[in-house]
Amino acid sequence: MTWDPRSLPDLSGRTYLVTGSNAGLGYFASEQLVRAGATVFMSARHPNRLSAARAAIRRRVPDAAPDATEPLILDTSNLGSVRSAAASVRGRGGLDGVLLNAGIVHPPKERETTIDGHEVVFATNALGHYALGGELLPALAAASGRMVWVGSVSTALTPYDPIDPQLAEGYSSWRAYVQSKVATTALGFEADRRLRAAGVPVASIVAHPGYSTRGRTAGITGVNEPSRVKRFADNLQAAIAQSKEHGAWPLVRALVDPDALGGEFWGPRTGTRGEPRRRTAPRITRDEAIAARLWEVARTATGVRWPFEKAAAVTRGA
Ligand SMILES: NC(=O)c1ccc[n+]([C@@H]2O[C@H](COP(=O)([O-])OP(=O)(O)OC[C@H]3O[C@@H](n4cnc5c(N)ncnc54)[C@H](OP(=O)(O)O)[C@@H]3O)[C@@H](O)[C@H]2O)c1
């Protein structure tokens, strides 16, 4: 099927949830979904930032239905917040897809921990999304939906094995970021293997946005307001960088293209920019032993056991 990311298929009647939808890729993914007629649970940790992003969508997509976006407070670094957000979404019925996008992109210089006691980058980028995926599984199964995890080219540049995923030793901000993305990608593939084995009709796909910068992205009040210096610096990288609007394309394609399948990896054509294409994920993220180990780490750290049997029963209408 030919795919035009600027003209998506009609998504009327579909419902999606996007984490971190107040800025960056999550904002543009939400906007693209709304433009195609979908209803989107836009989620963020700060109510004011969430209101500004929803207002931006109302301005930029004036024909969207008044209830095209639903606000949801969700802090992926806080397991209590993940549980309560998921419960309110589950109460609303089936969910066609969830984009597990929120992330700390510029980690702190020194190691920090969350209120649950986990290293903050691993918790925000990987653990919170593992917990959310599990909590939303029955709602996704009810709609034969899909989940999309967000990886990164950084995992090919420095393929760290997250043998110590919480970095109790040897923390650095780059290592914390890359390890969290190796874990996120590996968990996305492991989820797909486990969903297939359990007969749950939910696809788990991984996508990455290449290299997408704020300074290459349209200015939008309350969503993207880079300084002139930032624009200048980012424009020097025009040959390899793209806007966050374009960076959202592979994420959205993985979420809605009927031809995208569970276990696949999607990204921009050149690796860092361009039209969305099927790609080959870095070898470390495809290592099944590492993925199985990370799944156990995530299960123990979050206390969330994915309800595979319950989700399979929802599907059978039991
Ligand atoms: N941009 C790239 O080139 C690139 C490349 C590879 C992968 N990625 C991945 O793409 C995703 C989005 O990146 P981006 O470029 O759009 O970054 P961004 O512009 O910094 O946006 C990050 C989003 O995540 C949210 N977030 C951060 N911590 C959160 C938390 N604890 N709970 C809920 N939301 C939280 C932010 O909300 P606040 O405004 O409240 O902080 C914001 O909405 C990340 O997973 C990143 O690793 C990006």
Side-chain angles (χ1 to χ4, degrees):
M1 175 184 190
T2 53
W3 186 261
D4 180 356
R6 294 178 181 83
S7 172
L8 297 178
D10 181 14
L11 299 177
S12 306
R14 305 270 189 98
T15 304
Y16 298 92
L17 164 58
V18 179
T19 67
S21 54
N22 61 289
L25 301 161
Y27 169 81
F28 286 102
S30 302
E31 186 184 296
Q32 288 163 24
L33 293 168
V34 166
R35 214 177 272 287
T39 300
V40 180
F41 284 102
M42 289 181 71
S43 73
R45 54 184 167 162
H46 289 295
N48 294 349
R49 294 182 200 162
L50 182 52
S51 302
R54 292 180 66 225
I57 288 194
R58 282 194 294 275
R59 283 195 310 277
R60 287 167 56 89
V61 194
D63 350 338
D67 54 358
T69 70
E70 299 256 0
L72 184 71
I73 297 300
L74 199 179
D75 180 339
T76 61
S77 72
N78 178 326
L79 293 169
S81 170
V82 170
R83 270 192 293 273
S84 80
S88 72
V89 172
R90 276 199 310 268
R92 304 286 297 279
L95 186 64
D96 294 284
V98 58
L99 177 57
L100 304 169
N101 157 81
I104 297 179
V105 179
H106 302 291
K109 288 204 165 52
E110 304 291 332
R111 184 178 187 276
E112 292 178 14
T113 53
T114 65
I115 58 164
D116 301 305
H118 302 304
E119 189 281 315
V120 70
V121 185
F122 183 58
T124 306
N125 297 4
L127 292 179
H129 286 135
Y130 163 88
L132 184 64
E135 296 280 346
L136 290 177
L137 198 55
L140 290 166
S144 295
R146 52 176 83 165
M147 56 179 73
V148 174
W149 308 65
V150 180
S152 162
V153 283
S154 65
T155 61
L157 298 175
T158 37
Y160 293 121
D161 180 353
I163 212 133
D164 171 16
Q166 306 244 14
L167 283 169
E169 306 282 338
Y171 178 93
S172 77
S173 51
W174 178 246
R175 185 160 198 134
Y177 181 71
V178 177
Q179 288 201 172
S180 77
K181 287 288 151 184
V182 170
T184 304
T185 307
L187 288 170
F189 294 141
E190 181 68 11
D192 199 67
R193 286 188 285 272
R194 291 182 185 229
L195 289 163
R196 282 173 194 268
V200 179
V202 172
S204 175
I205 302 174
V206 184
H208 81 91
Y211 182 38
S212 310
T213 62
R214 288 194 301 126
R216 302 275 304 147
T217 304
I220 301 176
T221 306
V223 172
N224 187 54
E225 299 176 89
S227 66
R228 278 202 202 164
V229 174
K230 173 81 180 145
R231 281 220 182 275
F232 178 75
D234 284 358
N235 281 330
L236 293 177
Q237 299 183 312
I240 53 163
Q242 63 181 350
S243 69
K244 300 220 181 194
E245 187 166 10
H246 292 187
W249 286 349
L251 283 47
V252 170
R253 183 165 186 182
L255 198 61
V256 306
D257 182 351
D259 289 344
L261 300 175
E264 290 182 343
F265 186 63
W266 288 77
R269 187 174 51 78
T270 71
T272 61
R273 66 198 298 267
E275 312 282 315
R277 295 276 189 277
R278 233 175 236 110
R279 313 283 305 175
T280 301
R283 184 180 303 175
I284 188 162
T285 65
R286 292 183 278 122
D287 184 311
E288 295 189 17
I290 292 176
R293 190 182 76 215
L294 285 164
W295 191 271
E296 287 315 305
V297 167
R299 190 171 61 76
T300 308
T302 61
V304 174
R305 185 181 284 276
W306 280 32
F308 290 107
E309 284 172 18
K310 189 174 162 196
V314 166
T315 315
R316 290 193 301 269

